[in-house]
Amino acid sequence: MGTLRMDANHPEGILMCAAISKTVIPMPIRPVDVQPIWHRLSVGGLPAVIQKKARSFSAGSPIVHEGDAIPAVICVESGWVGLSKSLDDGETQLVDLILPGEFIFALCADRFTSALQVEAITQSLVAAISEAQWKRLVGGTPELEDLQQALSGASRARMAERMLRLGRGSAEVRIAYALLELCIRLRAIRDTADDVFHIPLTQQQLGEFTGLSSVHVCRTLRRLERNGIVDVEDHMDVRLHSVSRLAEIANVDLEHLREQILPDTDAS
């Protein structure tokens, strides 16, 4: 039976294009000081369970392998976690990025094994909750089910938006959308100042997220910089100079996108 695992030997480094950096430097670990959504909602019992079960994973460490047994719910308390699928030749699609305060629901239809590879993008603190324990928590705290539905709906919405652009959008459209989505989500957890934020991804990982090669990612970012829309410096420190122009490129209505990809927790 598969379990959460730690891998302290995974190397961590990035190689950026000439417009950003020419050297390989370890990714800076930036502290994330956010208030998880389950704390804001005063969900009874959950914070204590998470605190008890939380485990730390270093950047690059697998948390759950695709096809392994997986807990019903994984709560990400801090750090960035990636969900991915890979072909036999090693080609990888980063299906989603999970940020602090979000849940991972990755069970296959068999309700036992993981449909995805779950991996720590940065140093992360996560807690695994079994199906039986989750049911007990939901039974004692009905609003927790509302939270689950809100987070699941937000996840489906953002993946649908990305899939549309992966299938029908140019490289510029895909990158523009990815930057907007991450900015909106980071604002929601107060991990960005206005339109300045850090993306702890290599260009290869950003390419896996947007279905592009690292070369295409580099060229697209440079083009957006030349056009005065964004600045990308110092290993993916991003400044959006024109959110409206970026939204036009990505073909999104910002208010509608926020409503779709941020969990509605007002009712809880």
Side-chain angles (χ1 to χ4, degrees), residues 93 161-169 174 209-212:
Q93 179 66 45
E161 292 289 346
R162 259 183 271 119
M163 184 178 295
L164 173 62
R165 286 156 184 84
L166 284 172
R168 300 299 179 185
R174 299 181 197 186
F209 189 56
T210 55
L212 300 168

Side-chain angles (χ1 to χ4, degrees), residues 217-233:
V217 170
C218 178
R219 290 174 178 171
T220 304
L221 289 173
R222 292 178 68 181
R223 185 161 57 249
L224 291 171
E225 286 184 300
R226 286 195 303 269
N227 292 334
I229 300 172
V230 305
D231 274 336
V232 183
E233 300 176 351

Side-chain angles (χ1 to χ4, degrees), residues 165 172-173 175-181 184 224 229-230 240-255 257-258:
R165 286 156 184 84
E172 197 167 58
V173 168
I175 293 294
Y177 173 79
L179 294 178
L180 284 173
E181 178 197 307
I184 289 171
L224 291 171
I229 300 172
V230 305
L240 305 185
H241 290 298
S242 178
V243 174
S244 60
R245 289 179 66 190
L246 205 61
E248 184 178 351
I249 292 170
N251 194 23
V252 298
D253 178 285
L254 283 175
E255 282 305 315
L257 183 62
R258 288 189 188 97

Side-chain angles (χ1 to χ4, degrees), residues 22-147:
K22 296 181 180 179
T23 58
V24 177
I25 300 177
M27 179 73 70
I29 299 299
R30 311 241 173 156
V32 178
D33 182 18
V34 299
Q35 186 180 34
I37 192 169
W38 52 75
H39 285 183
R40 297 200 302 271
L41 294 178
S42 299
V43 177
L46 184 59
V49 170
I50 291 173
Q51 185 176 16
K52 181 179 179 180
K53 290 182 168 291
R55 290 184 56 187
S56 179
F57 291 84
S58 60
S61 298
I63 297 173
V64 178
H65 292 282
E66 181 181 349
D68 280 359
I70 186 174
V73 180
I74 298 176
C75 304
V76 179
E77 187 162 9
S78 67
W80 288 42
V81 174
L83 308 181
S84 64
K85 296 280 287 188
S86 298
L87 298 173
D88 291 341
D89 62 5
E91 287 292 323
T92 299
Q93 179 66 45
L94 194 51
V95 176
D96 201 9
L97 292 167
I98 310 301
L99 305 186
E102 296 179 346
F103 294 173
I104 298 170
F105 304 97
L107 284 170
C108 288
D110 63 11
R111 298 175 61 84
F112 177 70
T113 57
S114 178
L116 301 159
Q117 172 88 355
V118 183
E119 183 175 307
I121 300 294
T122 67
Q123 184 78 26
S124 301
L125 193 64
V126 304
I129 301 178
S130 69
E131 183 173 10
Q133 190 163 34
W134 183 256
K135 286 181 178 179
R136 286 197 298 272
L137 286 168
V138 171
T141 312
E143 62 264 36
L144 185 54
E145 188 169 8
D146 295 334
L147 173 59

